[in-house]
């Protein structure tokens, strides 16, 4: 996928392979916050750059929906297929900020000597031409509180009395499921794959058990950021991770409580508009020398996300 080194784009060919065969996600390095570090609040000032097929960007899109910020924080999308330039913009997916053809141009506009990953989502400050953050967890949390009094509405996604429990589940879900599917799918040894896929299904089993007590959401009766961090992985699981990433011990639809829970989130007003199953399948089954060398797109699965959330 490439990365930036001192403001220059380096393709995959210039990046050394991992000797252990285990996949690791590099940390985000642009982590300022709206309301701090020279980023004051302003309606229409901030712009979200996302991609339909990226689960990390999906978190930010969900935060924008749940907090009623669709008219406050505008959004644009990179093209679903990356090139040797990483995330790109096309005629169908244009960049309205600086007219860039590749996302890394926004990174170098914001920081000419930038080194690191070039990822979505990014939260862009239109007044200073700087990236506030490229860390999805931080952007989601900003969506929750930064626009209080400036157009935000909806549930408190990080209530004080639940923060310790939210943080614990966030860490578990992030390490073992959100990242776990990639640790399985991008593994280059049997040992690395076994570790990743074991964590994935141990976490799904734990979530199924938690939801079996009749609770509506993971923390009880109210939606929190933990639900929004989990949902993008669930939305992609059966259509992509189960087959393309060999996470095939069970499907999401084999978990009665978790499957009903996922459909409750999907039925929330505006959430279905953030989901593109066709793009997920095309993206995860795109031609890959290791995972799908012929680029054959499977016909299934045929799953009805619109069936009543009360049915399992």
């Amino acid at each position: 996928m490439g990365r930036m080194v001192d403001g220059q784009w380096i393709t995959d060919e210039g990046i050394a392979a991992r000797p252990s065969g285990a996949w690791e996600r590099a940390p985000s390095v642009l982590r300022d916050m709206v309301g701090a570090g020279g980023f004051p609040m302003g309606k229409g000032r901030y712009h979200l750059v996302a991609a339909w097929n990226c689960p990390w960007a999906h978190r930010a899109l969900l935060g924008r929906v749940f907090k009623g910020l669709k008219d406050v924080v505008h959004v644009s999308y990179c093209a679903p297929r990356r090139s040797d330039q990483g995330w790109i913009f096309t005629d169908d997916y244009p960049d309205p900020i600086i007219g860039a053809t590749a996302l890394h141009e926004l990174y170098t506009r914001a920081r000419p000597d930038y080194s690191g990953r070039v990822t979505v989502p990014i939260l862009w400050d239109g007044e200073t031409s700087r990236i506030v953050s490229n860390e999805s967890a931080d952007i989601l949390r900003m969506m929750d509180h930064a626009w209080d009094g400036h157009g935000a509405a909806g549930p408190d996604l990080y209530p004080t009395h639940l923060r310790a429990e939210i943080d614990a589940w966030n860490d578990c879900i992030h390490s073992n499921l959100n990242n776990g599917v990639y640790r399985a799918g991008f593994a280059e040894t049997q040992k690395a794959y076994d570790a990743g896929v074991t964590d994935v299904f141990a976490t799904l089993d734990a979530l199924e058990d938690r939801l079996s007590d009749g609770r509506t959401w993971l923390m009880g009766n109210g939606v929190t950021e933990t639900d929004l961090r989990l949902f993008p992985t669930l939305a992609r699981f059966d259509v992509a991770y189960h087959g393309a990433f060999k996470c095939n011990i069970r499907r999401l639809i084999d978990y009665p409580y978790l499957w009903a829970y996922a459909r409750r989130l999907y039925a929330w007003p505006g959430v279905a508009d953030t989901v593109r199953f066709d793009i997920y399948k095309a993206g995860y089954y795109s031609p890959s020398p290791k995972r799908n060398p012929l680029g054959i797109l499977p016909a299934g699965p045929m799953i009805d996300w619109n069936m009543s959330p009360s049915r399992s």
Side-chain angles (χ1 to χ4, degrees):
M1 292 181 285
R3 66 185 180 205
M4 299 293 292
V5 178
D6 296 328
Q8 300 297 314
W9 176 255
I10 306 296
T11 64
D12 284 333
E13 287 76 12
I15 299 174
R18 301 178 302 276
S20 70
W23 179 84
E24 297 179 4
R25 184 176 298 279
S28 302
V29 298
L30 302 176
R31 301 191 64 174
D32 284 309
M33 303 290 283
V34 171
F39 295 104
M41 176 49 58
K43 184 176 181 179
R45 174 171 178 159
Y46 297 100
H47 188 98
L48 181 67
V49 181
W52 285 109
N53 42 337
C54 175
W56 315 99
H58 199 173
R59 295 176 173 183
L61 294 172
L62 290 168
R64 183 170 169 265
V65 167
F66 275 81
K67 297 303 294 189
L69 295 173
K70 295 177 69 175
D71 295 326
V72 178
V73 179
H74 298 296
V75 63
S76 57
Y77 297 88
C78 297
R81 278 289 290 278
R82 281 173 285 189
S83 74
D84 62 356
Q85 296 298 301
W87 292 109
I88 61 172
F89 300 99
T90 64
D91 289 344
D92 291 332
Y93 295 92
D95 167 41
I97 299 174
I98 64 170
T101 58
L103 183 64
H104 64 72
E105 297 172 40
L106 286 173
Y107 276 75
T108 52
R109 172 67 66 90
R111 185 180 292 187
D113 61 348
Y114 176 74
S115 293
R117 299 182 302 149
V118 175
T119 60
V120 288
I122 63 170
L123 188 65
W124 177 269
D125 177 10
E127 292 197 13
T128 64
S129 294
R130 293 163 61 197
I131 294 173
V132 181
S133 179
N134 70 339
E135 170 51 56
S136 63
D138 292 351
I139 294 172
L140 175 57
R141 195 157 289 178
M142 278 186 269
M143 294 282 183
D144 189 26
H145 287 300
W147 280 270
D148 287 352
H150 298 274
D156 181 357
L157 299 175
Y158 194 52
T160 302
H161 69 290
L162 290 174
R163 288 182 180 180
E165 191 174 11
I166 288 172
D167 290 343
W169 274 100
N170 283 353
D171 288 346
C172 173
I173 291 168
H174 175 82
S175 298
N176 299 329
L177 186 56
N178 301 146
N179 263 336
V181 292
Y182 287 90
R183 288 165 45 218
F186 290 164
E188 297 178 350
T189 66
Q190 186 68 47
K191 181 179 179 181
Y193 164 77
D194 289 343
V197 81
T198 296
D199 285 345
V200 165
F201 285 96
T203 306
L204 290 173
D205 291 347
L207 291 166
E208 176 75 358
D209 182 67
R210 183 171 178 83
L211 291 165
S212 68
D213 67 1
R215 67 181 62 220
T216 303
W217 310 112
L218 287 179
M219 298 302 144
N221 293 323
V223 172
T224 68
E225 68 174 36
T226 306
D227 299 295
L228 306 193
R229 290 167 62 115
L230 172 61
F231 180 77
T233 301
L234 300 184
R236 290 158 176 77
F237 200 87
D238 286 4
V239 76
Y241 300 141
H242 181 270
F245 280 7
K246 303 182 182 68
C247 294
N248 55 8
I249 296 175
R250 285 175 291 280
R251 302 163 298 173
L252 173 61
I253 62 174
D254 295 325
Y255 289 95
Y257 295 104
L258 196 54
W259 173 222
Y261 158 87
R263 299 199 310 277
R264 283 196 294 275
L265 273 168
Y266 184 76
W268 191 286
V271 169
D273 293 336
T274 71
V275 175
R276 288 291 300 272
F277 297 116
D278 56 336
I279 289 178
Y280 304 161
K281 184 172 15 177
Y284 286 98
Y285 283 98
S286 61
S288 166
K290 294 181 179 179
R291 292 183 302 280
N292 192 17
L294 298 178
I296 295 173
L297 192 64
M302 303 298 291
I303 299 170
D304 183 7
W305 276 78
N306 291 306
M307 64 188 294
S308 171
S310 63
R311 291 168 56 193
S312 58

